[in-house]
Amino acid sequence: MSKTVSTCLLETNQVQGKPQENVFFHSLYRTEPEFVSEFFRVARSTSPIQICAIFSTVGPDSLAAILNIELNKELAAIVEETNKQPVLDFDNFSKKVVNTLNSKVCSYIVAKGGTPLKTSMTMMVVEGDILRVIHIGNTKAVLYRDKKIMALTEEQTVAHRYVQMGAIKPEEEKNHPEKDTLTQYLGKMPQDGELIPEKKVNIKLKDNDELYLMGNGISKAIPQQMRNMVICKDISTEEKAREIIIAAVNYGVKYGLSLVAMKVESTLLLPGDAVLASATADKPAPVKKDDVKDDVFAAFNEPKDDDEGNTTTFAYKGNSSVDSIVPDEPAPNKKKAILIDVAIVLGILLLFIGIGFGGSYLFMVKKGWISTVETTLPTMVQTVAEESVDIDTNAYYEEQHILYAIDVENSVKAYEKNDQTSAVIAELKVNEPVTVLGEDETGLFYYVTIDGVNGYILKPLLSEYETEITTPTTQETAQTSIPRGGEPTVPNTPPTAARTTAPAETTPTTTAPTAAPTEPAPTEPAPTEPAPVEPAPGGGEEG
């Protein structure tokens, strides 16, 4: 599992008619009483499944804002049910999320008298060290890794569709009149066509990866360079979230100021990390007024005092999928005590391991088994290592593995679909290479690409190695040839007769008179031996 720290920051929409936005932040989301103020959360999590999403709804402001809350409630129920399962079935999960939320929006539209509402959604699902993305509409998700920013989603709008088709240039999309006209959205009625989400699966996460979910104001209303400069800074995700929002506000953006920033601190979670996370989740300490620093956080969001004189910038809602909602780090003494306890446990474990190995070694020395152990132990270790190799199938195909056609007699057909009755897109000769992209769900076909065209080939017709094609040699042909008399040549013909056969086949009219004088009497004393070499002119058998 992964250890992450996430920051969520939403500013209130100040422009009527622009999309209303909300986030699903580890089962937390903005409620109606919180609309008047900034929504700010920080979460550290080591949960096996971590989910964040952003919703952006186009329509009447009040209806759109309430619809976003209803969608978050539905998603929270789905996530709670999913967390009870030992393994995430992403295919079923994604279908359930899309179908349930789309039905919710359609029902809401009908209940409000047919008022048109369209919702965009982008969701990140972190399961262990694997990232999966579900995207509908024009919200945005990016990955920041090794000083590079990679887009994880594409806008599903009419203008972007024109760019994909080559009808307009990419730089013309920003000013196109249909740049905000959605082609895919939650709230799509059956008569409007099928809802097709964009899915990205099996993205392997690395330590220090950063993930960002952006609303329309952050992704479209400010220059991309302005946002990316902040993302590339060597500061915390909390500071990056603040700086991006501040930059957008200073640029004049007053809507779509929604951002979720998640940093993967570690993809290899140690037992001590889980203890630390669970300890901080018990009682999140409130932020005291004296603890609020005069930095970029306090300058942008003045803290509010509650009835007891404490100052907080967020509320804790105790959801099970979040390990901790923390305004500050745990107390140093508490952290030190936890580390000492972990060190003691590890020390005792190592002590018992040492005693066990030492006792076993002395016993084998006493019994005289040490020589046998010394010779067989490396072999045993090698055997165990070979048997325990774990092949990463997804990485195997991500490297675009090359396989070769192995059908020597017939051409290997590549089909348009994983069905032998579908159209044939290519035919391969033996040893012709193809690039394998994966396998189909039945396990009978490879999904391949041939000269830029993707198709399916039966798995038994491809091999990792080229097929060795052998051509019969001249000697083999001579041994299996049939003479004019109809009988096969005798395989144990004496060497001398074999030497005289070659000229007989090339010049049959002159072989008979020349064969007799060229054979010395000492070499072949039997006068009847040349007869099998040259059959009678009539083609009959010799008695």
Side-chain angles (χ1 to χ4, degrees):
M1 63 184 69
S2 294
K3 179 182 180 182
T4 63
V5 55
S6 307
T7 303
C8 166
L9 185 57
L10 280 79
E11 289 293 332
T12 303
N13 192 340
Q14 301 178 19
V15 180
Q16 291 186 353
K18 292 296 183 179
Q20 294 290 325
E21 296 181 351
N22 206 332
V23 298
F24 183 85
F25 186 69
H26 299 289
S27 296
L28 301 177
Y29 50 88
R30 193 177 196 178
T31 58
E32 190 172 359
E34 299 167 315
F35 286 166
V36 295
S37 61
E38 174 189 81
F39 185 78
F40 176 67
R41 301 288 187 276
V42 177
R44 297 181 183 274
S45 180
T46 57
S47 298
I49 301 175
Q50 303 175 33
I51 298 176
C52 291
I54 186 168
F55 294 96
S56 178
T57 300
V58 180
D61 290 350
S62 58
L63 295 181
I66 298 301
L67 175 59
N68 287 336
I69 296 177
E70 295 299 319
L71 291 175
N72 273 297
K73 290 180 181 179
E74 291 287 340
L75 182 56
I78 297 174
V79 171
E80 183 179 359
E81 181 180 352
T82 302
N83 285 332
K84 297 177 182 178
Q85 302 174 1
V87 179
L88 174 64
D89 186 345
F90 179 71
D91 188 46
N92 290 334
F93 172 77
S94 60
K95 290 179 181 178
K96 185 173 184 179
V97 168
V98 173
N99 293 335
T100 302
L101 298 185
N102 186 59
S103 298
K104 183 67 178 181
V105 178
C106 292
S107 300
Y108 189 82
I109 292 174
V110 173
K112 298 302 178 181
T115 303
L117 293 164
K118 297 181 180 180
T119 301
S120 298
M121 179 196 74
T122 304
M123 177 184 296
M124 297 187 304
V125 181
V126 176
E127 182 185 10
D129 59 351
I130 298 297
L131 169 67
R132 297 181 172 93
V133 177
I134 305 174
H135 171 66
I136 300 171
N138 62 354
T139 45
K140 191 176 185 68
V142 300
L143 167 65
Y144 175 56
R145 172 186 292 176
D146 299 332
K147 305 298 182 182
K148 296 180 182 178
I149 298 176
M150 294 165 280
L152 299 177
T153 58
E154 291 188 72
E155 291 191 1
Q156 295 176 324
T157 62
V158 173
H160 190 70
R161 182 59 179 161
Y162 290 156
V163 173
Q164 293 174 327
M165 297 170 60
I168 63 174
K169 297 180 180 179
E171 54 270 19
E172 298 174 352
E173 179 182 359
K174 184 176 181 180
N175 299 320
H176 196 275
E178 294 184 286
K179 63 180 180 179
D180 294 323
T181 304
L182 300 176
T183 57
Q184 301 295 331
Y185 50 88
L186 295 176
K188 202 169 190 180
M189 298 293 182
Q191 60 269 22
D192 297 328
E194 182 182 3
L195 176 58
I196 305 176
E198 177 187 355
K199 299 179 185 178
K200 295 231 184 319
V201 297
N202 295 333
I203 301 174
K204 189 80 168 179
L205 293 174
K206 297 169 58 177
D207 291 356
N208 299 318
D209 278 354
E210 294 182 11
L211 305 167
Y212 293 87
L213 287 175
M214 305 176 187
N216 281 277
I218 303 300
S219 63
K220 303 175 69 174
I222 64 174
Q224 181 178 337
Q225 295 82 356
M226 181 184 297
R227 179 185 71 235
N228 292 347
M229 285 178 60
V230 179
I231 293 178
C232 294
K233 284 186 176 181
D234 190 15
I235 55 179
S236 66
T237 51
E238 293 93 331
E239 294 173 300
K240 289 183 181 182
R242 279 294 184 186
E243 287 199 19
I244 291 174
I245 296 295
I246 291 174
V249 172
N250 292 337
Y251 192 75
V253 180
K254 297 182 179 181
Y255 70 94
L257 299 174
S258 307
L259 182 66
V260 175
M262 176 186 291
K263 181 174 182 179
V264 180
E265 293 185 340
S266 174
T267 55
L268 178 61
L269 185 64
L270 299 177
D273 297 325
V275 174
L276 287 173
S278 61
T280 58
D282 294 336
K283 295 181 180 180
V287 182
K288 300 296 183 180
K289 187 173 183 179
D290 296 338
D291 296 335
V292 178
K293 299 178 181 179
D294 186 16
D295 56 6
V296 65
F297 292 88
F300 192 77
N301 179 35
E302 187 66 21
K304 308 295 190 299
D305 292 341
D306 59 17
D307 296 337
E308 299 178 358
N310 296 329
T311 302
T312 59
T313 56
F314 56 86
Y316 174 61
K317 298 193 176 184
N319 291 275
S320 59
S321 62
V322 185
D323 291 331
S324 59
I325 304 295
V326 291
D328 203 350
E329 294 292 330
N333 292 335
K334 187 174 183 179
K335 181 184 291 187
K336 184 177 179 180
I338 294 173
L339 292 176
I340 291 175
D341 293 340
V342 173
I344 292 174
V345 173
L346 292 177
I348 295 174
L349 179 61
L350 293 175
L351 177 62
F352 278 104
I353 292 175
I355 293 174
F357 274 105
S360 301
Y361 180 80
L362 294 176
F363 178 77
M364 287 187 290
V365 169
K366 184 176 180 181
K367 291 290 186 178
W369 297 347
I370 190 64
S371 58
T372 305
V373 172
E374 289 175 350
T375 56
T376 58
L377 186 57
T379 305
M380 293 169 58
V381 172
Q382 181 180 0
T383 303
V384 172
E386 292 175 351
E387 292 178 353
S388 60
V389 172
D390 185 12
I391 299 176
D392 188 346
T393 305
N394 295 319
Y396 178 79
Y397 290 119
E398 285 176 2
E399 296 176 359
Q400 296 191 341
H401 196 64
I402 303 297
L403 297 183
Y404 301 90
I406 63 173
D407 195 336
V408 178
E409 299 180 356
N410 304 308
S411 59
V412 175
K413 292 182 174 58
Y415 301 97
E416 182 181 8
K417 301 178 181 180
N418 56 345
D419 184 358
Q420 297 186 57
T421 61
S422 61
V424 177
I425 63 171
E427 294 189 9
L428 308 177
K429 297 180 181 180
V430 62
N431 290 338
E432 191 167 344
V434 296
T435 302
V436 178
L437 304 180
E439 299 179 8
D440 71 334
E441 61 275 8
T442 66
L444 299 177
F445 289 83
Y446 281 124
Y447 182 51
V448 303
T449 178
I450 304 170
D451 297 331
V453 180
N454 295 343
Y456 295 84
I457 295 180
L458 284 170
K459 292 175 63 176
L461 300 182
L462 296 179
S463 171
E464 292 189 0
Y465 308 99
E466 295 188 36
T467 303
E468 181 178 355
I469 302 176
T470 57
T471 305
T473 62
T474 304
Q475 182 177 0
E476 293 172 347
T477 305
Q479 290 177 354
T480 57
S481 61
I482 300 177
R484 287 172 295 178
E487 289 292 332
T489 305
V490 179
N492 58 352
T493 303
T496 305
R499 286 196 297 269
T500 62
T501 303
E505 291 179 353
T506 55
T507 56
T509 57
T510 59
T511 301
T514 57
T518 55
E519 287 295 333
T523 305
E524 291 295 334
T528 59
E529 282 298 317
V533 178
E534 189 63 37
E541 299 182 0
E542 182 174 283

